[in-house]
Amino acid sequence: TTNLREKMVATRRQTKKANPHYEFGGPIGALGIVIGLPAVCYGLVLTCNERHCVSLDYDSIAGIPSLTLPSGTVLFSPEACAVFLGWMAWCVVLHLILPGVEKQGVKLANGKRLTYKLNGMSVFVVTLGVVAHGVHQGWLDLGWVHGNFLALLTAGVAFAYAMSLALYLNSFGKGEEKGGGKLLAKGGDTGNHIYDFFIGRELNPRIGSFDLKVFCELVPGLIGWLLLDLGFAHKQFTATGAVSPAMGLVCAFQALYVADALWFEPAILTTMDVTTDGFGFMLVFGDLVWVPFTYSLQARYVLERPVALTPEFLALILCVKALGYAIFRGSNLQKNWFRNDPNDPRVAHLTYLPTKRGTRLITSGWWGIARHVNYLGDWLMAWAWCLPCGFAHVVPYFYVIYFGILLVHRDMRDGEACQEKYGKDWDKYCAIVKYRLIPYVY
């Protein structure tokens, strides 16, 4: 412990001299996010539940400070902690014992490529099979998650804080790099403990060949999110004898999103989360808490506040979803095909800008429309998730508002990284592909 403390102090002194580049408002912003994200998760339940939900009128907004949770709400329980830990253990065991494909990641700063075992879809299918069997046989009450939602949230928050702290402390331990250290993320070794804890210090923390970041990125959070959705649907079915069209749409749309992400799991290896960002509180909390407990808001809303959809409005929602998915999946497939083989007949017709780095930037097809046209598709799908909630309250639209802000920020981060990476070639590319996310708008 003394040696660890000395290493942390020495690292802080050494790195401070380098004038580190901060994001997210620096250490103060990082501290605010570390405290604020859990508060938002609890706040979404406080401001919208089966007893009340905030709307845009003045009286509703003015009454927020006096809101209370419904009577009988459980904030913490040993049972919920056991369920959350059991869920994490279940995902780990399935990941380890089920077969999977092995894929190499991108070349890292040390010149190495890590090998990843990917079997998220297998974990997904086995889990759904077991859950379906348990519900059918009567020994699994999936609707239990609704009455214990906040207790599960508390367990997840505590787990995320503990895991983030363990990862941060472990990043000062011995590794395979020169000098015996770990391979650190470029932006996660600033020497400021608060900021580095938040952004993630070590790039690819592993236990043997088990990559913690890639595992958490897709498996427990995404599948857990869908199980919460299905739990709310099961609760509605047991209470009313049917699943409403609104609930059916939300669950179907989000199930497609989860299945799509797991089917195309190898694509995650080239994302900024894996190649650039360290594994700290930002990703740990986002993967394990933020995704399942905030993305399931719409399913919880239509359970607690049933919404009737006209056939015309239902058709509109389906069209928004179809358009969003076509843009999202079409653009990502086009990018992956081109990256793997520019002469592939499916993408051989695309024009591109050659760069001094030897890579090519696509300037036509989906990627000639906007630099991050896939983000536009993702955002349209977010609208399709929220629209089944109707327009009586604003809280169920939290996701589409937050996600729009997130995508703009992510686009800005990507733009800065590409400017540094490509230099003047990036300026040429931006002159050709003028729009960032939405054609003729932004």
Side-chain angles (χ1 to χ4, degrees):
T1 56
T2 302
N3 291 336
L4 177 61
R5 189 182 301 112
E6 291 174 351
K7 285 183 181 180
M8 293 172 69
V9 173
T11 301
R12 185 178 184 183
R13 290 174 178 170
Q14 180 180 3
T15 316
K16 268 188 170 181
K17 300 177 182 179
N19 190 24
H21 172 68
Y22 288 125
E23 296 181 280
F24 300 96
I28 295 177
L31 179 61
I33 295 173
V34 168
I35 298 172
L37 287 185
V40 171
C41 293
Y42 287 104
L44 289 174
V45 182
L46 176 66
T47 57
C48 194
N49 52 64
E50 52 197 329
R51 191 168 71 179
H52 51 241
C53 193
V54 173
S55 59
L56 286 178
D57 65 86
Y58 175 79
D59 291 338
S60 180
I61 295 174
I64 290 178
S66 62
L67 294 180
T68 58
L69 292 170
S71 58
T73 299
V74 179
L75 288 172
F76 171 83
S77 74
E79 182 183 18
C81 291
V83 168
F84 188 90
L85 292 175
W87 168 243
M88 292 298 300
W90 168 266
C91 291
V92 170
V93 170
L94 286 188
H95 174 78
L96 294 176
I97 66 175
L98 292 177
V101 297
E102 291 194 347
K103 295 286 185 178
Q104 280 198 323
V106 301
K107 185 180 291 185
L108 302 175
N110 59 5
K112 299 179 181 178
R113 293 178 185 269
L114 295 177
T115 300
Y116 299 88
K117 177 184 177 181
L118 303 176
N119 61 357
M121 180 55 75
S122 298
V123 176
F124 179 60
V125 171
V126 170
T127 299
L128 288 188
V130 171
V131 168
H133 177 73
V135 171
H136 182 263
Q137 294 296 316
W139 54 262
L140 178 61
D141 177 17
L142 198 58
W144 174 90
V145 300
H146 179 247
N148 294 272
F149 183 79
L150 278 180
L152 286 170
L153 171 60
T154 300
V157 169
F159 185 90
Y161 277 125
M163 184 175 181
S164 301
L165 181 60
L167 288 167
Y168 181 66
L169 295 177
N170 185 67
S171 71
F172 293 92
K174 293 182 179 180
E176 299 178 356
E177 296 304 298
K178 185 177 180 181
K182 304 290 184 76
L183 178 59
L184 305 180
K186 182 179 178 181
D189 188 27
T190 67
N192 184 284
H193 295 317
I194 294 175
Y195 184 82
D196 292 348
F197 166 83
F198 162 72
I199 205 73
R201 192 164 182 271
E202 187 175 357
L203 184 62
N204 301 105
R206 291 186 158 206
I207 301 174
S209 61
F210 179 47
D211 192 282
L212 295 172
K213 180 162 66 171
V214 169
F215 168 76
C216 289
E217 191 79 9
L218 288 181
V219 176
L222 281 185
I223 302 175
W225 160 29
L226 183 59
L227 290 182
L228 287 174
D229 280 357
L230 296 177
F232 299 146
H234 184 255
K235 181 74 173 181
Q236 185 182 67
F237 182 81
T238 56
T240 66
V243 173
S244 69
M247 178 68 81
L249 283 180
V250 171
C251 290
F253 290 166
Q254 297 186 351
L256 173 62
Y257 191 90
V258 172
D260 178 271
L262 295 171
W263 182 262
F264 294 100
E265 189 177 12
I268 196 176
L269 301 182
T270 60
T271 62
M272 179 179 284
D273 285 359
V274 175
T275 64
T276 306
D277 292 331
F279 195 39
F281 181 84
M282 178 178 72
L283 290 181
V284 172
F285 190 89
D287 294 341
L288 304 180
V289 182
W290 186 263
V291 167
F293 290 98
T294 67
Y295 287 22
S296 58
L297 170 60
Q298 290 76 35
R300 181 171 63 82
Y301 178 86
V302 296
L303 164 63
E304 297 172 344
R305 297 181 170 272
V307 178
L309 302 178
T310 64
E312 296 79 10
F313 191 52
L314 190 149
L316 173 64
I317 296 171
L318 288 171
C319 289
V320 172
K321 174 64 179 181
L323 176 61
Y325 185 74
I327 297 173
F328 174 77
R329 182 43 54 203
S331 59
N332 282 322
L333 281 175
Q334 192 176 74
K335 177 180 63 177
N336 290 334
W337 290 335
F338 187 86
R339 178 180 290 154
N340 293 331
D341 180 11
N343 297 316
D344 186 315
R346 294 169 293 188
V347 292
H349 64 284
L350 297 177
T351 59
Y352 59 85
L353 175 70
T355 68
K356 294 179 181 178
R357 292 176 57 91
T359 55
R360 306 172 183 183
L361 300 175
I362 306 173
T363 56
S364 66
W366 284 114
W367 299 94
I369 297 174
R371 294 171 224 162
H372 283 110
V373 68
N374 56 330
Y375 291 178
L376 172 61
D378 217 349
W379 195 51
L380 286 174
M381 288 193 290
W383 276 101
W385 301 352
C386 296
L387 287 172
C389 299
F391 301 104
H393 302 99
V394 69
V395 177
Y397 285 84
F398 167 81
Y399 175 72
V400 76
I401 297 169
Y402 139 79
F403 197 49
I405 296 171
L406 174 71
L407 291 177
V408 169
H409 180 261
R410 188 180 294 173
D411 169 76
M412 294 171 63
R413 290 187 74 202
D414 288 348
E416 290 178 3
C418 289
Q419 183 71 60
E420 181 180 350
K421 183 177 181 180
Y422 297 112
K424 292 182 179 180
D425 287 331
W426 184 249
D427 295 329
K428 296 177 183 177
Y429 171 73
C430 292
I432 299 172
V433 184
K434 298 180 180 180
Y435 300 102
R436 292 172 173 263
L437 295 176
I438 306 175
Y440 305 104
V441 177
Y442 175 72

